[in-house]
Amino acid sequence: VAAKRVGLTLRPHLLNPPPPATTTTAGRDVTADEGATIGSSQLSFLPKPGVAYAAAIIRRIDPSVGVLLELPPASASPALVGHLAAAAVMGYAHISDVADEHVDKLEKRFKVGAKVRARVIGHRSLDGVANVSLKPSVLDQPFLSLDELTAGMTVQGEVVAVEPYGAVVKLAPGVKAICPPLHVSDVPGRTTSIKVREGARLTFRVLSVDHERGRAVVTHKKTIIKSELPVIADIAAAVPGAVTHGVVTGVESYGVFVQLYGQLRGLAGAQDLGLTADQTPADIFAVGQCVRTTV
């Protein structure tokens, strides 16, 4: 009769697991038990995918398998240190992720105690370890996930499809964005452009990032891309007197609706449009027009 075995663990995060994370969606609370699709299975002490380390320390080399590294918070990207736990966490680089070229002998290329650059590409939640890559091609990517995108960021992307609802743009492996028809051209009312075509690699600017839906919206309007005015992406930044660029999304007899960054929308009343007595908003403004606005 074959012997029966039971596997045990001494991992602290499994012995004393944190309470299930709760996320609100569709008007109700969803716990981590339900929400693998929401991403709540990721352990809170592990760094998010995309976090880069300038001096990860090699702690163990497993020949033909991979490298175990210590990821000290002090060596993380300066902008991301505040999001990390105070204590160092461990990361593991599989042999296929240690270099862009094929590597046969890990022990000849790496030494225990050496410091290397590393970037988080995923998690091994059961082990409480981050999956990391040492590949220069991954380390040099401007971002690897939506978590690293912010409104106002200028990005490079490849148009992978042009659909009636907009252009689908690949910003990085696994990261795509939508460029709505209203944002493919600087010309008001034009919803297509010979430049925005499948296979074209172009410059865009991030308008908004929806982490819950896992998508980003970008613009190809040159006026917005080249704008040096402040990015107003939330109501806290929309202080009286703030000036930024926006895009007209609606023209009515009583005023003009303007899209800013994020989810912000504004209304400029007819009395604030600088119209003469015989002019209407439709005489001066059109949907898709870039405008300079003051809160």
Side-chain angles (χ1 to χ4, degrees):
V1 179
K4 295 183 178 180
R5 298 180 180 181
V6 176
L8 303 177
T9 182
L10 294 176
R11 293 280 185 178
H13 68 281
L14 295 178
L15 293 174
N16 299 291
T22 301
T23 303
T24 300
T25 181
R28 69 186 185 92
D29 289 339
V30 178
T31 65
D33 292 335
E34 302 175 75
T37 57
I38 300 175
S40 56
S41 62
Q42 294 179 356
L43 299 179
S44 60
F45 65 85
L46 292 177
K48 294 181 178 180
V51 175
Y53 293 83
I57 305 169
I58 297 177
R59 293 304 186 195
R60 190 181 76 221
I61 299 173
D62 299 324
S64 303
V65 179
V67 179
L68 181 70
L69 305 102
E70 179 183 333
L71 308 176
S75 74
S77 304
L80 297 169
V81 171
H83 298 291
L84 304 181
V89 297
M90 305 306 291
Y92 200 88
H94 186 264
I95 189 171
S96 62
D97 288 312
V98 299
D100 286 319
E101 67 276 10
H102 180 71
V103 175
D104 284 320
K105 301 287 186 179
L106 288 170
E107 57 273 24
K108 288 187 177 181
R109 189 175 184 116
F110 301 101
K111 300 296 180 183
V112 173
K115 294 183 179 180
V116 295
R117 294 169 63 206
R119 195 169 191 179
V120 179
I121 57 175
H123 297 136
R124 289 163 55 176
S125 299
L126 191 62
D127 296 325
V129 173
N131 289 325
V132 300
S133 176
L134 311 184
K135 291 182 176 181
S137 60
V138 173
L139 294 169
D140 296 335
Q141 282 278 351
F143 47 82
L144 294 178
S145 69
L146 282 178
D147 289 333
E148 299 172 86
L149 290 180
T150 58
M153 181 184 292
T154 301
V155 296
Q156 299 289 324
E158 178 186 354
V159 179
V160 295
V162 179
E163 306 290 349
Y165 53 81
V168 180
V169 182
K170 179 182 178 181
L171 302 179
V175 182
K176 292 183 180 180
I178 292 293
C179 182
L182 195 64
H183 284 273
V184 301
S185 172
D186 251 343
V187 180
R190 181 176 293 179
T191 58
T192 59
S193 171
I194 58 173
K195 293 183 178 180
V196 183
R197 65 187 186 280
E198 189 171 337
R201 186 162 184 82
L202 306 168
T203 300
F204 299 87
R205 195 166 191 182
V206 179
L207 291 177
S208 64
V209 182
D210 189 334
H211 295 288
E212 289 187 2
R213 297 184 179 181
R215 69 182 186 185
V217 178
V218 297
T219 181
H220 187 56
K221 287 182 175 292
K222 288 185 178 180
T223 301
I224 304 297
I225 293 173
K226 295 182 178 181
S227 175
E228 297 181 354
L229 295 177
V231 173
I232 300 179
D234 54 55
I235 199 67
V239 296
V243 180
T244 190
H245 276 114
V247 177
V248 175
T249 57
V251 179
E252 304 292 344
S253 60
Y254 52 82
V256 171
F257 290 94
V258 179
Q259 174 192 15
L260 304 180
Y261 293 91
Q263 302 303 315
L264 285 188
R265 304 290 187 272
L267 172 63
Q271 71 278 8
D272 296 317
L273 298 178
L275 304 176
T276 62
D278 60 342
Q279 288 179 325
T280 66
D283 293 332
I284 305 299
F285 300 96
V287 173
Q289 180 178 347
C290 292
V291 293
R292 181 186 176 104
T293 64
T294 301
V295 178

